[in-house]
Amino acid sequence: MSGREEGRLRAVDLARTAGISVQQVRTYVATGILPPVERAANGYRVFTVAHVEALAAAREVAAGHGWTTARAVMRAVHEGDLETALAALDASHARLDRERAELAAVRDMLSTALAGEGEGEGEGEGEGEGTGKGQGRAAVPVVARRGMRIGEAARTVGVRPPVLRLWEARGLLRPDREPGTGYRRYAPAELRAAQVVALLRRGGNPLAAIDAVMREFRTAGSPDRVLGELSHRARDLRRRSLNRLGASAALHAYLRYLGHAT
């Protein structure tokens, strides 16, 4: 078969239509992304409009959910297992929903804590913590390069030394250790991290929830930059959500083409 005949396509025709390689087309057939193909008398694979539709749908699903989910969905569709395809999509949407909820929780937690900075006395919450007066967003005091020892750091933050040890045990703080003695040393960045933890604890946030904020803080470096990064991630999440919406529309159109959308 040479060129296009009666709506039939060669692998190279389909590849050119999608802007991919012939080998990719073969891989998509082998992995179930594209429906099975017949062969002409000369042994060449015969592709049709159905394969064009499948490839377009697969690429939209991949743009919205990633290729791992796209492969699972398209393979299930072509095997006639619509329930498995829908379950894979639902699981992907659920992951995005969890990410949205976690992002909102971290942003709300930090925003509320920052809004309440310096409002006065805070009471300890569980596990023997007491944070004293709010420290506000004051600059970290000048600290020698080797940092503060735990007693001085605790006074600066407004907690007792055992509280800093507890936060360290929970993975919220990472003080350095003096060579030889093993004494804890809190460099300026770690002291600021301790202040952020104290700020969140004064808001009544549990340590498990604070862990998510501190992971962001370690990356961004300051509460304000954390909020900026969270806003960026929220915009990215919105984009991915819209991509998933486009994927759903494309897949629904393909299912209608196959007669499976009822």
Side-chain angles (χ1 to χ4, degrees), residues 79-176:
E79 291 174 352
D81 188 357
L82 188 55
E83 293 302 318
T84 294
L86 295 176
L89 290 172
D90 289 345
S92 180
H93 282 292
R95 288 192 295 272
L96 192 66
D97 183 60
R98 286 194 298 272
E99 184 178 345
R100 187 187 301 279
E102 291 168 359
L103 181 65
V106 171
R107 183 174 54 198
D108 291 348
M109 187 191 311
L110 190 55
S111 296
T112 300
L114 292 175
E117 278 189 283
E119 290 185 356
E121 198 76 19
E123 296 182 2
E125 299 252 356
E127 290 156 315
E129 295 180 56
T131 57
K133 288 184 179 288
Q135 294 296 314
R137 227 184 304 187
V140 175
V142 176
V143 182
R145 176 175 294 182
R146 62 179 182 173
M148 292 182 176
R149 282 189 172 177
I150 191 169
E152 187 180 3
R155 287 191 295 274
T156 300
V157 174
V159 298
R160 300 189 306 278
V163 173
L164 293 185
R165 296 191 189 98
L166 170 65
W167 294 347
E168 180 185 350
R170 294 296 186 90
L172 303 177
L173 298 180
R174 306 170 188 171
D176 297 326

Side-chain angles (χ1 to χ4, degrees), residues 225-243:
R225 288 186 63 188
V226 170
L227 290 175
E229 175 61 22
L230 293 177
S231 294
H232 173 76
R233 286 176 55 188
R235 290 191 295 271
D236 179 66
L237 190 146
R238 180 177 181 272
R239 176 190 60 79
R240 288 186 286 138
S241 185
L242 288 172
N243 285 345

Side-chain angles (χ1 to χ4, degrees), residues 185-236:
R185 285 287 183 178
Y186 294 80
E190 202 59 29
L191 194 62
R192 184 55 176 151
Q195 289 176 320
V196 172
V197 176
L199 178 67
L200 295 169
R201 285 300 283 158
R202 282 195 293 273
N205 298 293
L207 294 178
I210 292 173
D211 181 60
V213 177
M214 296 309 295
R215 287 197 300 270
E216 300 291 343
F217 180 81
R218 295 286 179 187
T219 301
S222 75
D224 289 328
R225 288 186 63 188
V226 170
L227 290 175
E229 175 61 22
L230 293 177
S231 294
H232 173 76
R233 286 176 55 188
R235 290 191 295 271
D236 179 66

Side-chain angles (χ1 to χ4, degrees), residues 53 56-58 60-61 65 73-74 77 82 85-86 89 244-262:
E53 296 288 342
E60 287 290 338
V61 174
H65 300 272
V73 168
M74 299 304 291
V77 167
L82 188 55
L86 295 176
L89 290 172
R244 277 167 166 75
L245 183 62
S248 295
L251 183 62
H252 188 262
Y254 181 57
L255 291 175
R256 289 185 63 184
Y257 174 83
L258 296 177
H260 298 323
T262 57

Side-chain angles (χ1 to χ4, degrees), residues 31-33 61 66-76:
T31 56
I33 290 173
V61 174
W67 275 108
T68 298
T69 298
R71 281 191 291 270
V73 168
M74 299 304 291
R75 183 168 55 245

